[in-house]
Amino acid sequence: MGEQPIFTTRAHVFQIDPSTKKNWMPASKQAVTVSYFYDVTRNSYRIISVDGAKVIINSTITPNMTFTKTSQKFGQWADSRANTVFGLGFSSELQLTKFAEKFQEVREAARLARDKSQEKTETSSNHSQESGCETPSSTQASSVNGTDDEKASHASPADTHLKSENDKLKIALTQSAANVKKWEMELQTLRESNARLTTALQESAASVEQWKRQFSICRDENDRLRSKIEELEEQCSEINREKEKNTQLKRRIEELESEVRDKEMELKDLRKQSEIIPQLMSECEYVSEKLEAAERDNQNLEDKVRSLKTDIEESKYRQRHLKGELKSFLEVLDGRIDDLHDFRRGLSKLGTDN
């Protein structure tokens, strides 16, 4: 009934693994209430947290305790009496800061309470020593004045008060000696806890070095994998370039196949035209025979040339028309066509001369 809550918050509670002194074990499945309590009668402070019906934190704060922030939302402190380390995980950095400030405030109050208790103990010890020095003199005076019965009968109220004060001081001295032994035991416990924490710190340092080595190995492996990925990406880009080349080659092959088909069609057309050439040749021979006949007629009918000039012009017109019709296939027969032209020119000259 003498304890009153002075600060309350919510956090996830953890305890250090007693076997490894490294790993954290969750003491609560979810965030629970964590409160500072002040005991008026004992002038002491405690941190208490209850999860359902289970007390998971019951830590009396001493001036030697220290609350350490290990991250933005996590803090811890060591309790030598409970022989464990408590950890609290908060939902925000502000809650952690408020809890740490309250811890510092309560620790300072516990230190002041301890100092006052030591001052009272020293004062009580001094009074007990003074009382011890005064008591023999009073006893000596009483023995001089009379017997014990007479002293008891003639004792003043001041002597009775001194006896009661002396008894109280003896009790306080006994309690002080017991407290000294208790503090010595607590000091020994703190030293043992400090040694365990030092060992745990050394093990943590060794673990940090091991983690650093593992981190270096992982970093090297990461660099190697990154270089391997770059090589694979380069190979993929080369494969893509080869695919583009293959696509271009396929398109080129298709174009060439189309050109080959066109050439085959042209070759078929040329073959068909070559089948017409003999007919054209026969017609040319027929024309040549007609021209020879015309020459013979011209020789026999020299007198009729002037009268037949019109017929010759019509014949020339027909020849020009025939030339237009035969122009498509006379490219192959250019030589003979030239002879025909020469012959035609000779006939024209001959007709002009005649």
Side-chain angles (χ1 to χ4, degrees):
M1 297 298 293
E3 284 186 316
Q4 298 294 331
I6 58 176
F7 180 83
T8 301
T9 185
R10 292 185 66 83
H12 292 269
V13 181
F14 298 87
Q15 287 188 5
I16 200 72
D17 190 353
S19 59
T20 61
K21 299 293 183 181
K22 295 180 181 179
N23 301 324
W24 289 103
M25 298 188 304
S28 63
K29 296 181 180 180
Q30 57 186 359
V32 295
T33 302
V34 182
S35 302
Y36 285 93
F37 280 84
Y38 173 60
D39 190 347
V40 180
T41 58
R42 298 181 181 179
N43 195 17
S44 62
Y45 297 87
R46 289 196 300 168
I47 300 176
I48 297 176
S49 179
V50 180
D51 186 8
K54 179 182 178 183
V55 178
I56 54 179
I57 298 179
N58 185 7
S59 176
T60 302
I61 299 176
T62 63
N64 298 324
M65 288 183 178
T66 302
F67 186 80
T68 305
K69 295 180 181 179
T70 57
S71 66
Q72 293 182 351
K73 298 181 182 180
F74 192 86
Q76 66 183 42
W77 78 94
D79 190 344
S80 59
R81 294 181 179 180
N83 194 20
T84 186
V85 179
F86 293 103
L88 296 179
F90 296 89
S91 60
S92 65
E93 187 177 0
L94 179 60
Q95 292 181 352
L96 174 61
T97 303
K98 289 182 179 179
F99 189 89
E101 291 175 353
K102 195 65 180 179
F103 192 97
Q104 184 69 20
E105 178 184 342
V106 169
R107 189 185 69 172
E108 186 66 21
R111 186 184 66 79
L112 293 175
R114 185 190 65 179
D115 293 342
K116 288 181 181 180
S117 177
Q118 289 179 355
E119 288 176 1
K120 288 181 180 179
T121 303
E122 291 175 358
T123 304
S124 299
S125 178
N126 292 333
H127 283 302
S128 65
Q129 290 177 0
E130 291 175 359
S131 300
C133 294
E134 290 175 357
T135 301
S137 61
S138 62
T139 304
Q140 185 178 1
S142 64
S143 62
V144 171
N145 291 329
T147 62
D148 294 337
D149 295 333
E150 293 175 350
K151 180 190 71 172
S153 62
H154 298 288
S156 64
D159 294 336
T160 304
H161 179 69
L162 288 174
K163 284 183 180 180
S164 63
E165 289 294 330
N166 191 14
D167 293 337
K168 291 180 180 179
L169 290 174
K170 286 180 181 179
I171 293 171
L173 184 62
T174 303
Q175 292 179 353
S176 176
N179 289 332
V180 167
K181 291 181 180 179
K182 181 179 179 181
W183 291 336
E184 287 178 353
M185 292 176 64
E186 289 184 358
L187 180 61
Q188 183 64 26
T189 304
L190 288 173
R191 287 176 179 173
E192 293 176 357
S193 177
N194 190 19
R196 287 195 295 270
L197 290 174
T198 303
T199 304
L201 182 61
Q202 293 175 355
E203 293 176 355
S204 299
S207 299
V208 168
E209 293 296 330
Q210 183 178 1
W211 292 339
K212 286 181 178 179
R213 289 193 296 270
Q214 291 179 355
F215 176 73
S216 177
I217 294 171
C218 291
R219 184 174 56 190
D220 296 337
E221 183 68 16
N222 190 16
D223 293 337
R224 188 180 67 80
L225 291 175
R226 187 179 289 109
S227 62
K228 184 66 175 178
I229 289 171
E230 290 176 355
E231 292 178 359
L232 292 175
E233 288 178 350
E234 185 177 356
Q235 292 179 0
C236 290
S237 61
E238 291 180 357
I239 291 171
N240 292 330
R241 287 195 294 270
E242 291 295 331
K243 287 182 178 179
E244 291 178 357
K245 290 181 179 178
N246 291 333
T247 305
Q248 293 177 357
L249 290 174
K250 287 180 180 179
R251 287 198 297 267
R252 181 59 180 166
I253 289 170
E254 291 176 355
E255 292 175 357
L256 291 174
E257 288 178 350
S258 177
E259 291 179 359
V260 168
R261 287 192 294 269
D262 295 337
K263 295 296 183 182
E264 288 178 352
M265 293 296 294
E266 291 179 359
L267 182 59
K268 288 180 180 179
D269 294 337
L270 291 174
R271 286 176 179 174
K272 289 180 181 179
Q273 292 179 2
S274 65
E275 293 176 355
I276 301 173
I277 290 174
Q279 182 180 357
L280 296 175
M281 289 291 293
S282 62
E283 290 180 358
C284 288
E285 291 177 355
Y286 175 72
V287 170
S288 299
E289 291 177 355
K290 287 182 71 174
L291 289 175
E292 290 178 356
E295 288 178 357
R296 286 192 299 269
D297 293 337
N298 286 330
Q299 290 177 0
N300 296 323
L301 301 172
E302 288 178 356
D303 295 334
K304 297 179 180 180
V305 169
R306 290 179 181 179
S307 62
L308 297 175
K309 193 177 286 186
T310 304
D311 296 335
I312 293 172
E313 292 296 331
E314 291 177 358
S315 178
K316 287 181 179 180
Y317 176 77
R318 287 195 298 270
Q319 289 176 357
R320 284 195 298 269
H321 181 68
L322 183 61
K323 179 181 178 182
E325 292 178 353
L326 298 177
K327 187 177 180 180
S328 59
F329 59 88
L330 289 178
E331 292 177 357
V332 184
L333 303 174
D334 287 337
R336 294 191 178 186
I337 290 173
D338 291 336
D339 294 339
L340 291 173
H341 281 299
D342 292 338
F343 182 70
R344 192 179 294 113
R345 282 194 298 270
L347 287 175
S348 298
K349 186 177 179 183
L350 181 60
T352 302
D353 293 339
N354 292 330

